[in-house]
Amino acid sequence: MAGARTAGGAAQLRAARRTAAAGMLGVGLAGLLLFGLGRAHPLQALGGGLMVAGAAAVLGGALGFLFGVPRMRSGEPGPAGGPVRDSYVPNTNLEQVSDWLTKVLLGVGLTQLGSLGARLHQLGAALAPALGGDPGAAPFAAALVLYFLVLGFLAGWLATRLLLPRALSDADRALDLFLAGQDRDRKGDKVGADDLRVRAMQHLGLLGTSTDRPETVREQLPPAGDASPENVVAEVRSTARRSALTAEQVRELFADGSEGRRVQALALMQGDPALADLGSVLEAIERPRSGFEQYHALLAARGLLSRLAAGEWHRLRDAVASQLVAPEGIPYGSDRSWLAEKILARVDAAPAVPRQPAAPGRP
């Protein structure tokens, strides 16, 4: 209930911001329209006024951007609480230029404050011919410049403060995740590398996320340093090869019925393909309890590819392909669709090599 109220309040706040921005822009354009309609040459006055207003708004937006460029905080932890990667140091020249220009503009503005009225009069007189050249054009031109300069400044400053820090942070996190994925790939952990690449593309907005991550997953899995479901599953995956569990026990864990146990079993299968069971993986792909479970079933299938026989390749391909085309299956453009398409490409490109028969007398 509290979460719903918070989401509703945030939506109302965003709507109020859009209304206020549209209202301010509308007042300026309405004033320009009324002024132009009362001139002897209305089209000339409107065209010139729009150009003056646009130039002022662009200048104000550029100033707002310079004043709003965020500072980078050093010492931020890397992915999963790891250290900061020394191989990537963001360029801070833009921050230094922003600070320098901000101080210069403030200093010049304060020294010229006494002559501001005369400067505005000169500006209005210079722009008056563009608005028709009437006696009232000079003060209106000065007011138009001031109005749209302030409006552009506020828009540029707010957009820079609200959007740029998030975009830069997401890009930094995505780069750290890509580098961590390459490191996992070199160590032979293909599943963990793909998981990190998917998370990096999600930070960049290139892939949708697996929705409906239930709290039961976090409650029923062993605790990790970061209690998010993704990091809890990654912790279970990393301990799979050190665990004393057998493949039969992992199958029983998956058959437990609760979603948290099923996801835990899939994480163990990802970490150690020797514990994997194709039937359990196919069930989680075709009849998942949630998108989160299906995502980790696809990751487990990714790790199983090198261990499947010819007939099992076809079963996996049919299960994944059916979910891609099903109306309630894997959504297009999501992290699951990226993994599914990668699995299908690997299956189609692999030769059909039958599994070697077992020796006589051995199961």
Side-chain angles (χ1 to χ4, degrees):
M1 183 67 69
R5 286 198 298 266
T6 303
Q12 292 177 357
L13 181 60
R14 288 194 295 269
R17 289 173 180 170
R18 295 191 190 100
T19 303
M24 294 177 65
L25 181 61
V27 167
L29 294 178
L32 176 59
L33 179 62
L34 293 175
F35 174 83
L37 292 177
R39 303 299 99 186
H41 302 284
L43 294 180
Q44 177 189 355
L46 284 174
L50 286 174
M51 290 302 298
V52 171
V58 169
L59 177 60
L63 293 175
F65 172 79
L66 290 174
F67 276 80
V69 171
R71 294 180 180 274
M72 187 190 69
R73 291 181 295 182
S74 59
E76 293 292 326
V84 179
R85 293 187 174 273
D86 298 331
S87 59
Y88 174 67
V89 179
N91 193 340
T92 59
N93 290 339
L94 186 60
E95 297 176 8
Q96 298 171 6
V97 171
S98 172
D99 290 342
W100 179 72
L101 285 178
T102 300
K103 294 171 183 177
V104 169
L105 291 173
L106 283 176
V108 172
L110 291 175
T111 57
Q112 300 296 323
L113 192 61
S115 60
L116 182 61
R119 301 292 184 184
L120 285 176
H121 179 73
Q122 293 175 2
L123 177 64
L127 296 176
L131 298 176
D134 295 338
F140 183 81
L144 190 69
V145 169
L146 281 179
Y147 187 89
F148 279 94
L149 185 68
V150 173
L151 185 62
F153 176 83
L154 291 176
W157 185 80
L158 286 173
T160 305
R161 291 285 292 175
L162 296 176
L163 302 179
L164 188 59
R166 180 176 180 180
L168 294 176
S169 298
D170 287 344
D172 289 342
R173 292 193 190 100
L175 180 60
D176 285 338
L177 289 168
F178 271 123
L179 293 174
Q182 291 178 356
D183 186 54
R184 294 281 182 90
D185 217 348
R186 286 192 294 267
K187 293 178 180 179
D189 184 5
K190 305 295 183 182
V191 174
D194 281 346
D195 191 19
L196 289 172
R197 291 190 187 105
V198 167
R199 291 167 62 184
M201 287 187 283
Q202 287 171 351
H203 277 296
L204 295 176
L206 301 177
L207 290 178
T209 60
S210 289
T211 56
D212 59 339
R213 293 175 170 86
E215 289 296 321
T216 56
V217 173
R218 181 165 54 191
E219 293 169 358
Q220 297 182 23
L221 295 183
D226 185 346
S228 66
E230 294 87 350
N231 288 313
V232 172
V233 173
E235 181 71 18
V236 175
R237 184 196 305 134
S238 66
T239 61
R241 295 186 183 274
R242 302 192 301 269
S243 69
L245 294 174
T246 64
E248 181 63 29
Q249 290 173 326
V250 174
R251 283 195 295 271
E252 292 175 356
L253 183 65
F254 181 86
D256 177 78
S258 63
E259 185 177 348
R261 299 304 181 189
R262 287 163 64 101
V263 173
Q264 183 179 6
L266 292 171
L268 291 168
M269 296 178 193
Q270 295 168 22
D272 187 0
L275 301 176
D277 172 56
L278 181 61
S280 301
V281 172
L282 292 179
E283 180 182 347
I285 292 175
E286 296 177 312
R287 292 178 293 277
R289 304 289 176 85
S290 67
F292 186 68
E293 180 185 305
Q294 190 179 51
Y295 169 79
H296 285 284
L298 291 169
L299 276 178
R302 167 74 175 86
L304 268 175
L305 291 177
S306 60
R307 304 172 62 89
L308 297 180
E312 294 172 335
W313 283 94
H314 297 301
R315 292 177 59 194
L316 178 59
R317 181 183 60 190
D318 293 343
V320 174
S322 65
Q323 287 298 302
L324 279 174
V325 300
E328 301 298 328
I330 298 175
Y332 177 76
S334 66
D335 48 7
R336 286 175 279 163
S337 69
W338 185 84
L339 283 173
E341 291 168 2
K342 191 168 184 179
I343 290 172
L344 290 179
R346 177 82 181 277
V347 169
D348 292 337
V353 179
R355 179 179 293 172
Q356 295 297 326
R362 296 186 60 186

